[in-house]
Amino acid sequence: MNQDINNYIQQYNADLTRLCVSLCGNIHDAEDLLQDTWLKAMKHYSKYDCSKPFEKWLYSICVNTYKNMRNSAFFKKRKCFKNDEEERIFFNSIADITENNFDDYVELHKAICSLSKKHRITVVLYYFKDYTITEISQIMNVPAGTVKSRLSAARSEIKRRLTNE
C-alpha cells in the first residue's frame, strides 16, 4: 500500500495542487487542502476501488474536503487574499498573465470567488481541470443535469458580475 500511495503522490501531486489552488484561490488554504486530501486518501486507501480511475477518486476526496473546509466558521470569515501583495503574488504565479491582461484575471478571479461553493467547484472542475459533465457528476455525486444547470447559473452570475463592474 505505501508504495502505491507514493506512486500516486508522485503522479498526481502537481495536478492536485493546481486543483487546490483553483478551488481555494490562495496558496495558504490550498496547501492545507492538499495535505488534508492526501491524508484522507492514505487513511481511506483500503476503500479505493482499483477498477476505477484513481484521479477521480482523489478529486472527489479533494472536493468533499474543500466543501467541509468552506463550511467551517473560520473559513467563512476569511477573504480570498489577505492583502494586495498576496493577490499580486498569486496572479504572477500564473504563466498566461501579463501586465496587459492582469486586471481581467483579477476581476475574473473575484467573480469566481464570489460564486456559491457548488457553482465554484463545478466551474473549476469544468474549465480549469477539463472534466466532462459526466465526470463532474461522478466526482460531485450529483446528476449530470444538475452539473449543467450549475454551470449555466455560474456563467450567468460571472457574466453579470463582469459586465456590472
Side-chain angles (χ1 to χ4, degrees):
M1 179 190 103
N2 279 345
Q3 187 58 36
D4 288 345
I5 287 291
N6 287 337
N7 291 339
Y8 285 132
I9 289 173
Q10 287 178 353
Q11 185 175 357
Y12 294 109
N13 198 55
D15 286 339
L16 183 61
T17 300
R18 284 189 286 278
L19 174 62
C20 292
V21 170
S22 295
L23 289 172
C24 294
N26 69 69
I27 194 67
H28 305 293
D29 291 333
E31 288 172 348
D32 291 342
L33 178 58
L34 179 71
Q35 290 176 3
D36 289 346
T37 300
W38 280 120
L39 181 64
K40 288 179 182 181
M42 286 188 262
K43 184 177 179 181
H44 300 290
Y45 184 72
S46 61
K47 297 178 184 176
Y48 168 59
D49 179 1
C50 295
S51 67
K52 297 184 179 178
F54 181 80
E55 185 179 34
K56 288 182 185 174
W57 181 73
L58 181 64
Y59 284 0
S60 294
I61 293 172
C62 182
V63 166
N64 289 329
T65 303
Y66 172 73
K67 287 178 186 177
N68 292 339
M69 189 172 85
R70 289 281 303 212
N71 287 335
S72 72
F74 173 76
F75 195 86
K76 287 182 179 178
K77 294 178 184 177
R78 299 196 54 203
K79 297 179 181 178
C80 269
F81 297 103
K82 294 177 187 171
N83 54 44
D84 291 340
E85 180 62 24
E86 185 177 289
E87 180 180 63
R88 185 160 288 286
I89 290 170
F90 172 76
F91 285 109
N92 286 336
S93 70
I94 300 172
D96 295 342
I97 295 183
T98 64
E99 285 298 318
N100 296 337
N101 62 8
F102 180 82
D103 290 337
D104 293 338
Y105 272 96
V106 170
E107 292 307 314
L108 177 61
H109 182 266
K110 286 179 182 177
I112 292 171
C113 276
S114 69
L115 293 173
S116 69
K117 174 179 57 180
K118 61 186 178 184
H119 290 141
R120 181 177 178 169
I121 292 169
T122 307
V123 165
V124 167
L125 290 175
Y126 188 77
Y127 288 106
F128 296 97
K129 297 307 293 178
D130 295 323
Y131 277 106
T132 65
I133 301 289
T134 304
E135 291 170 329
I136 295 170
S137 72
Q138 293 168 351
I139 290 170
M140 295 183 72
N141 199 26
V142 296
T146 301
V147 173
K148 290 177 186 176
S149 67
R150 287 179 183 176
L151 277 174
S152 177
R155 285 183 201 119
S156 297
E157 182 63 19
I158 290 170
K159 182 178 179 180
R160 185 187 66 76
R161 288 182 186 275
L162 293 178
T163 54
N164 287 342
E165 297 173 2

